[in-house]
Amino acid sequence: MNKDLIDKLNAQKQLSLTEWERLISDFSDTDRKYAADMAREISQSVFGKKIFIRGIVEFSNICRNDCLYCGIRRSNAELSRYRLTKEEIISCCKGGHEYGFRTFVLQSGEDAWFTVDRTADIVREIKKLFPDCAVTLSMGEMEREDYARLKAAGADRYLLRHETADKTHYEKLHPSSMSWEHRMKCLRDLKDLGFQTGAGMMIGSPYQTAECLAEDMQFLSEFRPHMIGLGPFIPHKDTPFRDMPSGSYELTLFLLSLCRIMLPEVLLPATTALGTINPKGREEGVLAGANVIMPNLSPLAVRKKYMLYDNKICTGDESAQCRNCLEMRMRSIGYEISVSRGDFGGTYK
Ligand code: 5AD
Ligand code: FES
């Protein structure tokens, strides 16, 4: 039984590396439920029974990077590539706005066509058309100056998962052209520039150990991101990790709960990957302490081309269907969708 460690995390909001390792490598179903109950209570005390929704527009699957786990990596020659126009992106947001979305997440591969100037122009246009909405960018690593210009254009938030806090592990997941140090610098720059900043990692990525996850949890506790994206690793058939096993569903839920206990006010999505490895994943994620859901607003025609991993859900459903489906799913567990912007309301910088 690890209830004592969960209580300690709740009281002190941190654990030592060895305590984290113990908790992560050896937990029972009872521990997991204990953490989920505690996390759900904390989440309800901060957010009520309201779930924030973010509409994701996957605007390009062209990527200069070659992350070994990712289906849209440069070396995947099987994939047909696409890039939405500014008008198409804005039309996704228009649809989304009608369905009640007040946050748009613009996500893409690292596509050189979307220079800072072009991206800033799109951000400005969206902010002008929808002044009541937040714009979140998720388009990878850039230099500080670039991030600063996007912030000046009106972008409110930025998602960049750190992927792993362990440098050696990072190097097993990425080609040598990418650097862990630069990734971490990007995150510090983003936060420093005033973005609401999201970090996060896959659970069960190849070569990940309990020690890696312990380092991730310590990193999150020190860095204090405003948002944390956690999802299971799921292999993609056209990547070098095609034969690696998926991450554990139970461990993902457990870590969601531990993140909520550690950072009560953090914005914590029940991710699409969690919904992909289990049909009730998003509901159970919410019941384990998550408070955000991020459905897809991309045009139906391109959805199957933004396959980061195999069998990704919601690639055949119109945005309106997803919106209704989520509404029902949340109602089924006693929650309501919130149509507010859902900004980070905590006190930490
Ligand atoms: N399985 C699960 N998540 C993945 N991501 C990329 N590839 C996979 C995969 N095979 C996640 C990464 C990235 C985010 C956009 O999607 O963590 O940061
Ligand atoms: Fe997309 Fe259910 S959320 S179909």
Side-chain angles (χ1 to χ4, degrees), residues 282 295 314 317 321-322 325-326 329:
R282 286 168 300 173
C314 297
D317 299 282
Q321 279 174 290
C322 277
C325 166
L326 284 177
R329 284 172 182 269

Side-chain angles (χ1 to χ4, degrees), residues 202-252:
M202 292 176 284
I203 311 306
S205 59
Y207 315 109
Q208 185 180 65
T209 60
E211 190 184 352
C212 295
L213 284 171
E215 291 172 57
D216 286 323
M217 295 307 280
Q218 285 213 321
F219 165 71
L220 293 171
S221 106
E222 282 155 24
F223 182 67
R224 304 176 80 77
H226 307 92
M227 304 170 282
I228 300 178
L230 282 193
F233 163 75
I234 304 174
H236 184 291
K237 60 180 179 21
D238 300 316
T239 64
F241 290 161
R242 62 181 64 85
D243 296 322
M244 300 287 190
S246 289
S248 150
Y249 179 62
E250 288 76 19
L251 180 56
T252 306

Side-chain angles (χ1 to χ4, degrees), residues 69-71 107 161 163 183 202 232-236 273 308-309:
Y69 44 83
C70 183
Q107 189 177 80
R161 291 190 180 176
E163 311 295 357
R183 190 112 182 152
M202 292 176 284
F233 163 75
I234 304 174
H236 184 291
L308 304 180
Y309 43 80

Side-chain angles (χ1 to χ4, degrees), residues 101-204:
F101 289 92
R102 292 298 175 267
T103 291
F104 303 119
V105 181
L106 306 188
Q107 189 177 80
S108 69
E110 292 195 12
D111 177 353
W113 192 87
F114 285 98
T115 57
V116 175
D117 281 339
R118 287 182 174 139
T119 311
D121 175 56
I122 295 170
V123 171
R124 271 192 299 268
E125 185 73 15
I126 295 176
K127 295 292 287 193
K128 193 172 90 193
L129 288 170
F130 312 107
D132 56 340
C133 292
V135 170
T136 305
L137 296 176
S138 176
M139 45 195 302
E141 295 183 33
M142 293 181 202
E143 297 313 308
R144 185 184 171 99
E145 254 319 290
D146 302 335
Y147 287 144
R149 287 168 57 205
L150 294 170
K151 185 82 186 46
D156 303 278
R157 311 181 188 139
Y158 204 102
L159 305 179
L160 182 72
R161 291 190 180 176
H162 66 287
E163 311 295 357
T164 171
D166 185 295
K167 179 172 152 62
T168 311
H169 183 219
Y170 188 91
E171 288 167 358
K172 294 181 180 160
L173 301 178
H174 301 94
S176 56
S177 53
M178 292 177 72
S179 105
W180 178 80
E181 284 83 1
H182 191 259
R183 190 112 182 152
M184 290 300 192
K185 178 181 182 302
C186 286
L187 279 166
R188 286 192 303 271
D189 285 342
L190 286 164
K191 205 172 177 206
D192 195 51
L193 288 165
F195 281 99
Q196 292 175 46
T197 303
M201 65 278 183
M202 292 176 284
I203 311 306

